[in-house]
Amino acid sequence: MTFIKKYKEAIASALFLAAALIVEHAFSFSSQAYVYLPLYGLSYIVVGGPVWMKAFKSIKSGTIFSEFLLMGIATVGAFAIGEYAEGVAVMLFYMVGEYAQDGAVNRAKQSIKSLIDQQPDTATVERNGTTESVHPSKIETGEIIQVKPGEKVPLDGELLTEKASFNTAALTGESKPMSRESGEEVWAGSINQDRPVRIKVTSGYEDTKLSNILTMVQEASKRKAPTQRFMTRFASIYTPIVVWLAVALTFVPYFVVENYVFQDWFYRALIFLVVSCPCGLVISIPLGYFGGIGAASRNGILLKGSDFLDQLRKMKTLFMDKTGTMTEGSFEVRYIHPVNGYSQEELLRLAASLEQDSTHPIAKAILNRTNGQQLHPVENQQEISGKGLKGSVNGKTVVVGNSDLLKQEGISISSTDVDDPYTYVHVAEDGIHVGTISIADQIKEDSKQAIEDLRKHGVNEIVMLSGDNQEVVDHVSRKLGLDHAYGSLLPDEKYRHVEQALSPSKTVGFIGDGVNDAPVITLADIGIAMGGIGSDATVETADVVIQTDQPSKIPMAIEIANFTHRIVWQNIGFALGIKVLVMVLATLGMATMWEAIFADVGVALIAIGNAIRIQNKYSDKGFSLTAKSDSTSQVEEQANACCEI
């Protein structure tokens, strides 16, 4: 019953058409049109009525040459010359094509609207010594919520329970559970796996990572790729041209051929009109791009517009940050090298005192090494961008930072036993260097493979830009096989490196995670952010967000972009080729309305099926997606209006 209800117009039209054909050809009524014509008329009205309504609405809105008008003229013309069955068949198969398009669009919507159902409608909050269930939007930051095993986390927060495990597949595309310990961040949309937990809310309902992802997915549907924009312009010129060509095909032969028969040339023109409808192009191209966005989102790659698929495909130069991008960003103190009479404990405590309010990974590594020991109070603290910190401890001026900061302060660095190629944090007190702390970061396990895959996909220049010292940057660069590596850079110096590389002849990308990377990400032709650990500013300004923080997702995104590009141009070439061929045959009188139906509806269905391959190809690499009907409005409108320009 559901099937019949869903396709009732097409089913009713098909039944009336079958009845009309039986009455006309199985009985002796072939010369008595008044007997079977009403059946053809009913069959036509059921499927043609909605098309004519859309044609009138299109004309009323100022768009005269729409597909609906082309179909209407062609089918009414077929009735006028007695080709009743063909006139009905054109409309009937057109509606079947519409059903297929709707199904394809719904599938695309399911792919790119992946996270709506991950946002819970209720949350359990602790208030006044008891718990109550409220909508997450009613919970303030700082309040404590409870999440049972199997429930979704409603808001971003800080885990208060000693430890827990969460399924973050909906946010990152990774099926491996994420372990969290007390004090670490937990994201909305994650599923609590093993025990009841308490979470201190750190983000409001509209500011969670999940809400931001949803916003990015929805905004992606509003941006058209260059090929889509080209096809829109092409169709707006192409459609009126073919209408006037059809008019010319009807009347011009009167002046140039002998034995002109109006009905024959009018029939050819009708075929020409049916063939000319650019439906297969106008729906399958955006559907292809949205399939690409959906395939990417299944794998934890969020693209903020289909045009960035083309930018990824053309990217030849990629600049990258080091810490948190190609390395884990989870620093550990390797060695503590005190000098001038200081002990390791005194040196560490002095450095940690200035770093205690910092969120930088290096600061966290130093603080973790102190094991919670009492730190000194700090006065007049100031941050020197890209270099370190300065403040007053027990009346003495303390400087903690890199060698550039100590040089700036006129402090000479004493010789130590440091010889490892890692990050150095130098500490000075009242102008005297008192020691160096060696900090180690680890290269991500998929970074090297990611670089190799990037080169296979045509990225021929890969450059690292980092604020870390040059020796460390060179060490990582050699490990990864990069072309160039520049260390000890301030944010504005990173910006200048990328700015100098920009050129109309090549597409330049940048990938980073820190707030200081946001300007460079905005500047680059294609800005990529590590979304899991990246700052909000970086994620907001990026064109592509890697939710899993895995460098290997970048070549995967390029692979998806290349495959999408191939599918789109396959559809363009196939659709135009078939249409031109049948148009020529129609002009020569060698095609009937049935060939025209195939060239229009059949080609559209084949193109749509080809576009769906993008989603199928990458569907097994991520998580299942659930959609609601209010997303991807642009695709839906194009499906409803199909070729309306």
Side-chain angles (χ1 to χ4, degrees):
M1 292 298 293
T2 303
F3 176 84
I4 294 174
K5 185 177 181 180
K6 186 175 181 180
Y7 304 114
K8 57 183 181 296
E9 294 91 350
I11 293 172
S13 178
L15 291 174
F16 282 125
L17 177 60
L21 290 170
I22 291 171
V23 170
E24 180 182 6
H25 298 289
F27 301 101
S28 56
F29 295 119
S30 58
S31 61
Q32 301 174 24
Y34 67 90
V35 177
Y36 53 81
L37 186 56
L39 293 172
Y40 282 122
L42 287 171
S43 180
Y44 179 83
I45 290 171
V46 171
V47 289
V51 174
W52 274 107
M53 289 178 65
K54 290 178 181 178
F56 289 133
K57 286 181 180 178
S58 178
I59 294 171
K60 188 176 179 180
S61 66
T63 303
I64 297 175
F65 296 107
S66 65
E67 175 187 300
F68 313 118
L69 184 62
L70 297 186
M71 299 293 287
I73 293 173
T75 52
V76 169
F79 267 71
I81 60 175
E83 299 291 344
Y84 309 120
E86 293 186 5
V88 173
V90 169
M91 283 297 188
L92 178 58
F93 284 108
Y94 170 76
M95 179 160 282
V96 171
E98 286 285 280
Y99 290 145
Q101 290 167 10
D102 288 343
V105 168
N106 286 333
R107 184 165 183 166
K109 285 162 63 178
Q110 288 177 348
S111 291
I112 63 177
K113 189 76 161 90
S114 60
L115 302 168
I116 280 289
D117 283 353
Q118 298 298 326
Q119 195 145 21
D121 295 327
T122 60
T124 302
V125 59
E126 297 180 2
R127 287 175 179 169
N128 302 320
T130 184
T131 60
E132 56 181 288
S133 182
V134 299
H135 192 274
S137 62
K138 305 296 183 183
I139 297 176
E140 302 290 336
T141 56
E143 291 194 281
I144 296 174
I145 58 175
Q146 296 181 3
V147 183
K148 297 177 182 178
E151 290 183 344
K152 295 170 186 172
V153 177
L155 296 163
D156 289 351
E158 177 185 312
L159 184 65
L160 299 180
T161 306
E162 183 179 356
K163 61 181 179 179
S165 179
F166 298 88
N167 183 338
T168 61
L171 296 121
T172 65
E174 290 295 303
S175 58
K176 182 180 179 181
M178 177 182 69
S179 297
R180 282 288 184 258
E181 295 183 357
S182 179
E184 292 188 322
E185 185 181 17
V186 178
W187 300 330
S190 304
I191 300 174
N192 182 20
Q193 289 202 311
D194 58 0
R195 69 190 66 189
V197 298
R198 298 173 71 240
I199 298 170
K200 182 179 179 181
V201 176
T202 57
S203 298
Y205 183 70
E206 300 296 331
D207 300 320
T208 64
K209 286 186 179 292
L210 179 57
S211 295
N212 292 335
I213 292 170
L214 294 177
T215 300
M216 286 188 287
V217 171
Q218 290 165 342
E219 288 178 350
S221 67
K222 301 175 184 177
R223 306 187 67 154
K224 287 187 177 181
T227 307
Q228 288 179 258
R229 292 193 288 267
F230 164 75
M231 286 311 305
T232 300
R233 294 193 301 269
F234 169 78
S236 65
I237 299 170
Y238 161 90
T239 305
I241 287 176
V242 298
V243 171
W244 290 112
L245 285 176
V247 172
L249 185 59
T250 304
F251 297 106
V252 170
Y254 173 81
F255 302 100
V256 296
V257 301
E258 297 182 7
N259 303 319
Y260 171 79
V261 179
F262 171 79
Q263 183 170 325
D264 290 344
W265 289 98
F266 183 50
Y267 182 67
R268 296 184 188 186
L270 296 178
I271 297 171
F272 195 89
L273 283 178
V274 173
V275 175
S276 69
C277 297
C279 181
L281 291 173
V282 175
I283 188 63
S284 66
I285 291 172
L287 189 62
Y289 277 102
F290 279 89
I293 291 177
S297 69
R298 284 178 179 268
N299 292 278
I301 306 165
L302 298 179
L303 295 108
K304 295 186 182 179
S306 50
D307 46 349
F308 298 122
L309 280 167
D310 281 334
Q311 291 286 67
L312 279 168
R313 180 182 57 81
K314 295 185 291 185
M315 184 172 66
K316 299 301 178 186
T317 300
L318 177 63
F319 291 90
M320 57 178 59
D321 180 41
K322 178 182 74 69
T323 306
T325 302
M326 303 307 289
T327 64
E328 295 288 352
S330 54
F331 291 91
E332 293 181 354
V333 173
R334 289 288 301 273
Y335 304 109
I336 302 173
H337 308 272
V339 294
N340 294 323
Y342 272 69
S343 68
Q344 289 189 350
E345 183 179 341
E346 289 173 325
L347 177 63
L348 185 64
R349 186 181 182 192
L350 199 58
S353 296
L354 261 71
E355 300 278 14
Q356 59 187 303
D357 294 324
S358 175
T359 59
H360 194 280
I362 290 178
K364 290 182 179 180
I366 293 174
L367 290 167
N368 288 339
R369 185 64 176 265
T370 63
N371 297 319
Q373 66 174 292
Q374 186 69 33
L375 302 179
H376 299 294
V378 181
E379 298 177 351
N380 304 319
Q381 181 166 316
Q382 58 179 302
E383 180 176 351
I384 295 87
S385 179
K387 296 181 180 181
L389 300 166
K390 182 179 180 180
S392 179
V393 176
N394 297 328
K396 297 181 179 181
T397 301
V398 177
V399 175
V400 177
N402 58 24
S403 57
D404 289 340
L405 178 57
L406 268 67
K407 183 178 181 180
Q408 178 180 305
E409 296 293 322
I411 303 170
S412 61
I413 299 175
S414 304
S415 176
T416 68
D417 296 330
V418 175
D419 61 0
D420 52 341
Y422 294 117
T423 299
Y424 309 144
V425 177
H426 301 290
V427 183
E429 187 176 59
D430 276 349
I432 300 174
H433 178 227
V434 297
T436 297
I437 299 174
S438 177
I439 308 289
D441 190 10
Q442 184 176 353
I443 296 174
K444 292 181 179 178
E445 61 180 3
D446 64 332
S447 291
K448 186 171 179 58
Q449 185 62 49
I451 299 301
E452 295 175 1
D453 291 342
L454 282 169
R455 296 195 186 282
K456 291 177 183 177
H457 287 300
V459 182
N460 48 38
E461 185 180 16
I462 305 175
V463 182
M464 177 170 285
L465 305 177
S466 175
D468 211 338
N469 70 70
Q470 187 65 51
E471 188 176 7
V472 174
V473 174
D474 287 340
H475 173 72
V476 174
S477 175
R478 287 192 297 271
K479 288 270 189 178
L480 297 179
L482 306 184
D483 297 300
H484 305 286
Y486 302 96
S488 303
L489 299 179
L490 297 175
D492 61 315
E493 293 173 323
K494 287 185 179 182
Y495 189 96
R496 284 197 294 272
H497 271 281
V498 175
E499 186 178 37
Q500 291 170 3
L502 294 176
S503 166
S505 62
K506 66 178 180 180
T507 299
V508 175
F510 180 88
I511 178 168
D513 68 298
V515 65
N516 62 327
D517 293 326
V520 198
I521 284 176
T522 305
L523 173 68
D525 296 318
I526 181 80
I528 308 169
M530 289 297 185
I533 63 174
S535 71
D536 290 342
T538 307
V539 171
E540 184 177 340
T541 56
D543 306 313
V544 181
V545 180
I546 308 297
Q547 281 300 109
T548 63
D549 290 332
Q550 294 174 289
S552 57
K553 295 295 185 181
I554 308 169
M556 177 182 284
I558 298 174
E559 180 185 336
I560 292 172
N562 285 329
F563 189 68
T564 300
H565 179 75
R566 289 197 299 272
I567 293 295
V568 166
W569 280 100
Q570 284 173 10
N571 284 346
I572 292 173
F574 174 71
L576 286 179
I578 295 295
K579 285 180 180 292
V580 169
L581 174 62
V582 178
M583 283 180 183
V584 171
L585 293 176
T587 302
L588 299 175
M590 300 171 63
T592 68
M593 196 67 76
W594 297 106
E595 282 84 0
I597 291 171
F598 170 76
D600 177 40
V601 180
V603 166
L605 293 177
I606 294 172
I608 290 167
N610 195 34
I612 289 173
R613 287 172 55 209
I614 303 170
Q615 300 168 57
N616 291 338
K617 182 177 175 66
Y618 297 95
S619 63
D620 60 343
K621 297 183 180 181
F623 47 91
S624 298
L625 307 174
T626 307
K628 286 189 178 180
S629 61
D630 60 348
S631 181
T632 59
S633 56
Q634 184 186 23
V635 180
E636 190 170 31
E637 289 169 6
Q638 284 187 310
N640 291 337
C642 194
C643 301
E644 184 176 357
I645 305 303

